[in-house]
Amino acid sequence: MVRVNVLATALKSLYNAEKRNKRQVLIRPCSKVVVKFLRCMQKKGYIGEFTIVDDHRSGKIVVELVGRLNKCGVVSPRFDVKIKDVERWTKNLLPSRQFGYIVMTTSDGIVDHIEARRKHVGGKILGFFY
């Protein structure tokens, strides 16, 4: 059986492990989008270190959890967002203005909404975490 949304599966297993107070979680399969989303979360301090295990199939990721993640999820379909519409999406997806991040795929790569606004680029929404 084929997996429809690899990013949704990865974020759901991350969220479930965090709710169960686990220290680490195994995410499979691995993809470039999942790795860049995790790197964005790691940069903001919501997860710890993660390692990519190459098993000559689809790969695995072992993520260390720090207990800071409250919720994470994907936005499907990946809506186009102009730079002036980012504020409306943050109001809809995040609990408050100073809390949480929306991850977007832009022409400058996969970045959070604050960095996208600073670089003045729009793009498509991948997901959110807080």
Side-chain angles (χ1 to χ4, degrees), residues 91-125:
K91 192 169 68 175
N92 289 340
L93 289 175
L94 301 178
S96 75
R97 291 184 69 165
Q98 299 87 13
F99 191 63
Y101 298 94
I102 293 177
V103 179
M104 301 170 59
T105 175
T106 64
S107 56
D108 288 349
I110 295 178
V111 295
D112 61 274
H113 71 281
I114 296 171
E115 191 172 340
R117 191 180 297 142
R118 187 174 50 79
K119 290 181 177 179
H120 201 73
V121 291
K124 293 181 182 277
I125 289 191

